[in-house]
């Protein structure tokens, strides 16, 4: 009885075990699953690049269009992938809750870590391949780049934490959420540059925290990229940290309801 | 020590909250004390074990456990079907902090579960027997102070059951055991004390034998009430063991043939005990003439009987042997 482990030690052991387990399932289910994880953003980028270059768009507000796309999509994919993986974490890991050391929130957090890790590897590989292709990539502000990247990851975690609880309590929400998230693609400054949006709509769109993250990511990679007005890292972090805390609070409040008998 | 403080449990059903499975249970299970949980199907044995193991939470009340408790070992869940046995085993060893001697423990699991090369195949390809053997090996590979077993000794073939029982015997002194089992001998072998679950309440018995007797008495009472209810007639015998049912049926057939010469005709049958006792306490056999149904159940050991007549109900007479082992005669008058 005196050799009980401390709660922190247990949690860290659980996170490590979950992380390794998730990594195995995520990277090994299906043929060359890891390859598809990398290829998916690449294919999307190449597809849009082809489409834009057909319209003779070579650069976007002082940034090469390929880099502009790559950063935009990577940032956006970081949010959606972390968000979606986290959202389904509780449901997918129900079997594990028969070990009482594993709490639903652990599965969400480890999935966020794994997914951000995969996306970080992906963006690094994409950047490297663009450099090899001869594109002039220079990180103007590495700290800002890391801040924007982490901010987007946290945003995904907050979203995932909140909806992993809500979807378990009210399963219908998930279907509704798919419709709501569909136009987000176009409203996050990934495809359509935010600067091209006229004033009254611009201010409305700026409520979307993803735009802040994506734009700062681009800014950090160039000295010449036009900085959109009203961008704020404080807003991005305020939004993401609030949603993370709200999500954690929901997990505490409904911990018992998340485990299905 | 596990302190269960006034817990209630009910499950959600399609039509709102279900009935209370556990209805106000308070128990203190001492450390290093093997306990058996007894109760009929649906009495809440598995529910209670799940609550003690922390797999599920009580609707009301709390459970304090300042000790390392296993998950219910017989539980089929907890294995990820798409991962191999080895991957699942690694995961479990890791969450329980057995990182440093991971390889030894994995070897132990592989050796104990006896599933051969299937250890490196996904769990979904396993048969239910393989699954439960692996599940059992997994729980033994982790160090716990208290192991919870839900019918685990019933899993697998005879040799595995023996192996499992040996493993339990090896735990003595190191860890304790809380188990639910239908096999009386298993409970008697491993458990010192008993908890009898009945209609949502729990009753603690320091001696497992007392718990078993109390349980069987209540079971038979229930069966007899059922047999006596006008709707079901006496043919309703579910829940009574096959041998018992046969004795019961034999007696009824004899009775239906007519009561003339009844004591003689069944003189060599087991039911004669009931009649003899009825005689002894002065029940006039002539009165039995007006009795339409006389059924009885006897345990194989033919010990002397003690009769308890219920004058209020005036419907049945309960018979116990001197050890309060449940032996019953049903006498319904119409």
């Amino acid at each position: 009885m005196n050799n009980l482990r401390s709660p922190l030690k247990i949690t860290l052991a659980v996170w490590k075990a979950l992380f390794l387990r998730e990594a195995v399932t995520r990277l090994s289910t299906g043929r060359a699953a890891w390859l598809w994880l990398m290829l998916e953003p690449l294919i999307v980028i190449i597809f849009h690049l082809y489409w834009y270059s057909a319209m003779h768009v070579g650069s976007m507000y002082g940034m090469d269009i390929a880099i502009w796309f790559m950063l935009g999509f990577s940032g956006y994919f970081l949010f959606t992938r972390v968000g979606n993986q986290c959202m389904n974490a509780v449901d997918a890991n129900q079997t594990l809750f028969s070990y009482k050391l594993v709490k639903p929130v652990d599965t969400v957090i480890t999935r966020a870590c794994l997914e951000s890790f995969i996306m970080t590897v992906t963006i690094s590989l994409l950047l490297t391949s663009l450099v090899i292709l001869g594109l002039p990539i220079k990180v103007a502000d590495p700290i800002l780049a890391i801040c924007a990247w982490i901010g987007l990851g946290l945003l995904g975690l907050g979203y995932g934490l909140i909806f992993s609880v809500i979807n378990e309590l009210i399963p219908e929400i998930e279907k509704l959420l798919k419709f709501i998230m569909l136009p987000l693609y176009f409203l996050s400054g990934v495809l359509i540059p935010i600067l091209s949006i006229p004033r009254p709509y611009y201010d409305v769109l700026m409520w979307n925290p993803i735009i802040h993250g994506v734009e700062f990511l681009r800014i950090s990679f160039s000295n010449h990229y036009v900085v959109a007005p009203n961008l704020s890292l404080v807003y991005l972090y305020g939004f993401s940290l609030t949603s993370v805390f709200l999500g954690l609070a929901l997990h505490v409040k409904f911990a018992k309801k998340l485990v299905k008998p | 020590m596990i302190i269960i403080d006034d817990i209630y449990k009910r499950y959600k059903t399609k039509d709102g909250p279900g009935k209370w499975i556990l209805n106000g249970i308070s128990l203190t299970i001492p450390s290093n004390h093997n306990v058996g949980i007894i109760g009929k199907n649906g009495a809440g044995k598995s529910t209670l074990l799940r609550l003690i193991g922390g797999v599920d939470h009580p609707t009301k009340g709390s459970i304090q456990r300042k000790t390392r408790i296993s998950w219910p070992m017989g539980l089929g869940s907890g294995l990820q079907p798409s991962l191999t046995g080895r991957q699942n085993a690694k995961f479990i060893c890791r969450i329980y902090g057995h990182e440093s001697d991971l390889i030894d423990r994995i070897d132990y699991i592989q050796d104990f579960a006896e599933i051969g090369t299937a250890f490196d195949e996904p769990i979904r390809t396993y048969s239910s027997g393989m699954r439960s053997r692996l599940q059992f090996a997994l729980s033994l590979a982790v160090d716990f102070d208290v192991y919870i077993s839900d019918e685990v000794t019933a899993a697998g073939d005879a040799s595995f059951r023996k192996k499992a029982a040996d493993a339990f015997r090896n735990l003595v002194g190191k860890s304790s055991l809380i188990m639910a089992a239908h096999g009386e001998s298993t409970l008697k072998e491993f458990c010192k004390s008993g908890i009898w679950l009945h209609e949502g309440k729990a009753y603690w018995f320091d001696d497992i034998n007392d718990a078993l007797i109390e349980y069987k008495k209540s079971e038979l009472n229930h069966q007899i009430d059922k047999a006596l209810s006008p709707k079901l007639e006496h043919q309703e015998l579910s829940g009574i063991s096959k041998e018992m049912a046969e004795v019961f049926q034999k007696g009824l057939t004899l009775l239906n043939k007519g009561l003339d010469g009844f004591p003689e005709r069944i003189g060599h049958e087991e039911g004669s005990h009931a009649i003899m006792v009825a005689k002894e306490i002065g029940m006039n056999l002539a009165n039995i003439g007006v009795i339409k149904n006389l059924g009885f159940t006897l345990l194989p050991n033919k010990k002397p009987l003690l009769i308890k007549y219920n004058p209020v109900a005036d419907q049945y007479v309960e018979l116990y042997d001197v050890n309060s082992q449940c032996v019953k005669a049903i006498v319904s008058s119409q």
Side-chain angles (χ1 to χ4, degrees):
Chain A
M1 222 187 259
N2 31 20
N3 46 8
L4 291 180
R5 291 178 293 159
S6 74
L8 180 69
K9 232 176 166 179
I10 293 173
T11 307
L12 290 177
V14 168
W15 284 3
K16 187 183 173 189
L18 277 172
F19 185 88
L20 292 170
R21 177 197 185 101
E22 284 284 349
V24 168
T25 31
R26 188 100 173 94
L27 299 177
S28 71
T29 41
R31 207 178 301 167
W34 58 273
L35 191 66
W36 288 109
L37 281 178
M38 310 276 167
L39 278 182
E40 195 198 340
L42 192 67
I43 290 167
V44 173
I45 292 166
I46 289 171
F47 173 74
H48 285 106
L49 205 57
Y50 177 76
W51 186 47
Y52 269 57
S53 58
M55 295 193 301
H56 301 289
V57 184
S59 70
M60 202 64 94
Y61 297 96
M63 182 178 263
D64 189 279
I65 187 76
I67 305 170
W68 189 83
F69 264 133
M70 201 220 60
L71 292 173
F73 274 111
S74 301
Y76 181 77
F77 273 132
L78 173 66
F79 165 76
T80 49
R81 277 195 177 172
V82 170
N84 285 329
Q85 282 294 311
C86 288
M87 200 166 84
N88 301 321
V90 175
D91 212 33
N93 287 307
Q94 278 295 334
T95 49
L96 300 185
F97 302 139
S98 53
Y99 310 108
K100 74 170 194 294
L101 301 182
V102 184
K103 305 288 178 214
V105 67
D106 294 330
T107 63
V108 180
I109 290 170
T110 41
R111 273 201 172 187
C113 294
L114 177 68
E115 211 54 38
S116 339
F117 176 72
I118 291 174
M119 275 312 292
T120 309
V121 172
T122 309
I123 194 178
S124 312
L125 286 179
L126 286 177
L127 280 171
T128 322
S129 52
L130 285 186
V131 170
I132 292 167
L133 284 174
L135 279 158
I137 294 177
K138 194 175 109 253
V139 191
D141 191 345
I143 293 170
L144 184 65
I146 293 167
C147 282
W149 191 248
I150 292 175
L152 283 166
L154 281 175
L155 206 59
L157 173 63
Y159 168 81
L161 277 170
I162 292 173
F163 284 101
S164 59
V165 177
I166 292 181
N167 286 350
E168 286 294 304
L169 300 180
I170 318 160
E172 292 79 10
I173 292 286
E174 196 180 349
K175 293 182 184 94
L176 206 66
L177 210 58
K178 274 185 190 147
F179 285 105
I180 297 170
M181 295 304 278
L182 213 59
L184 201 66
Y185 204 63
F186 302 99
L187 301 176
S188 300
V190 179
L191 275 183
I192 305 156
I194 185 73
L195 281 165
S196 68
I197 311 282
R199 223 7 164 144
Y201 307 108
Y202 176 86
D203 293 332
V204 177
L205 280 183
M206 286 308 273
W207 286 102
N208 179 357
I210 304 169
I211 290 180
H212 296 258
V214 165
E215 283 300 298
F216 273 117
L217 195 62
R218 285 170 179 158
I219 289 164
S220 70
F221 271 80
S222 166
N223 291 324
H224 315 293
Y225 186 61
V226 182
V227 180
N230 297 341
L231 281 181
S232 159
L233 262 188
V234 176
Y235 179 70
L236 173 64
Y237 271 83
F239 198 105
S240 53
L241 289 178
T242 310
S243 55
V244 168
F245 281 113
L246 181 64
L248 289 175
L250 284 173
H251 267 274
V252 172
K253 173 90 176 114
F254 296 106
K256 290 177 184 174
K257 292 208 169 153
L258 295 181
V259 180
K260 300 273 156 63
Chain B
M1 190 149 82
I2 302 162
I3 301 165
I4 300 171
D5 186 20
D6 199 26
I7 56 164
Y8 290 78
K9 181 67 187 177
R10 64 179 172 194
Y11 290 107
K12 233 187 244 168
T13 64
K14 268 183 285 173
D15 322 310
K19 74 175 180 76
W20 291 106
I21 311 279
L22 303 178
N23 200 349
I25 289 179
S26 295
L27 290 165
T28 302
I29 302 173
S31 317
N32 285 321
H33 203 87
N34 289 358
V35 182
I37 297 182
I38 306 160
K40 60 181 176 196
N41 287 333
K45 297 189 296 286
S46 295
T47 304
L48 183 61
L49 287 176
R50 286 166 58 85
L51 293 180
I52 294 173
V55 180
D56 204 350
H57 303 279
T59 315
K60 274 193 272 178
S62 70
I63 300 175
Q64 279 183 52
R65 31 180 131 65
K66 287 208 169 59
T67 167
R68 298 174 301 171
I69 303 184
S70 82
W71 61 90
M73 290 161 88
L75 205 73
S77 69
L79 297 173
Q80 180 94 355
S82 63
L83 294 179
T84 66
R86 187 184 298 278
Q87 286 165 334
N88 273 290
K90 275 187 185 169
F91 173 75
I92 287 157
C93 288
R94 282 201 182 105
I95 61 171
Y96 284 95
H98 298 318
E99 184 83 56
S100 52
D101 50 353
L102 192 66
I103 296 162
D104 292 345
R105 287 181 198 259
I106 300 291
D107 287 346
Y108 172 81
I109 293 166
Q110 188 170 16
D111 182 53
F112 195 98
E114 290 176 3
I115 50 174
T117 51
F119 195 53
D120 288 306
E121 299 288 329
I123 300 284
R124 75 179 119 78
T125 63
Y126 286 25
S127 69
S128 61
M130 286 157 80
R131 229 176 236 255
S132 50
R133 289 212 300 272
L134 177 63
Q135 188 82 21
F136 186 72
L138 283 171
S139 39
L140 280 178
V142 180
D143 299 335
F144 290 114
D145 299 321
V146 182
Y147 287 85
I148 295 179
S149 152
D150 192 356
E151 299 285 351
V152 75
T153 40
D157 53 14
S159 73
F160 187 79
R161 279 206 298 275
K162 195 182 160 291
K163 201 170 171 184
D166 287 341
F168 276 161
R169 272 174 219 119
N170 283 334
L171 290 177
V172 175
K174 281 183 282 179
S175 307
S176 62
L177 198 61
I178 300 176
M179 73 187 315
H182 280 299
E184 203 178 301
S185 57
T186 317
L187 286 166
K188 278 184 181 169
E189 184 187 345
F190 293 111
C191 305
K192 193 162 174 284
S193 305
I195 296 168
W196 175 41
L197 282 180
H198 184 59
E199 290 172 353
K201 299 280 180 200
Y203 304 91
W204 173 271
F205 295 86
D206 285 333
D207 188 343
I208 183 84
N209 292 311
D210 295 340
L212 282 167
I213 288 165
E214 209 50 47
Y215 163 63
K216 277 190 280 182
K217 263 159 76 174
S218 116
E219 271 301 270
L220 272 160
N221 258 323
H222 177 71
Q223 290 305 326
I224 286 158
D225 287 347
K226 233 174 153 183
L228 285 175
S229 79
K231 274 186 209 157
L232 296 165
E233 290 290 321
H234 49 262
Q235 268 76 17
E236 186 70 32
L237 292 167
S238 64
I240 295 179
S241 79
K242 208 173 159 221
E243 296 112 309
M244 281 174 146
E246 273 167 17
V247 176
F248 193 95
Q249 214 100 49
K250 228 181 259 174
L252 281 174
T253 331
L254 286 166
L255 281 172
N256 288 338
K257 280 181 186 165
L259 285 162
D260 286 345
F262 172 59
E264 290 79 50
R265 288 187 67 177
I266 64 164
H268 301 293
E269 301 287 341
E270 282 167 298
S272 57
H273 283 262
I275 304 302
M276 278 171 350
V277 174
K279 257 183 186 166
E280 259 170 46
I281 61 147
M283 254 179 94
N284 195 340
L285 267 184
N287 288 342
I288 296 177
V290 296
I291 293 166
K292 294 266 165 57
N293 294 322
L294 175 62
F296 34 80
T297 56
L298 280 179
L299 285 180
N301 57 338
K302 292 166 191 164
K303 286 182 179 164
L305 301 170
L306 184 75
I307 200 154
K308 196 175 131 201
Y309 177 60
N310 186 343
V312 185
D314 191 28
Q315 265 193 322
Y316 62 94
V317 178
E318 296 175 57
L319 295 172
Y320 301 112
D321 72 14
V322 281
N323 297 325
S324 316
Q325 294 280 15
C326 30
V327 179
K328 294 261 180 179
I330 315 161
V331 182
S332 92
S333 51
Q334 283 178 7

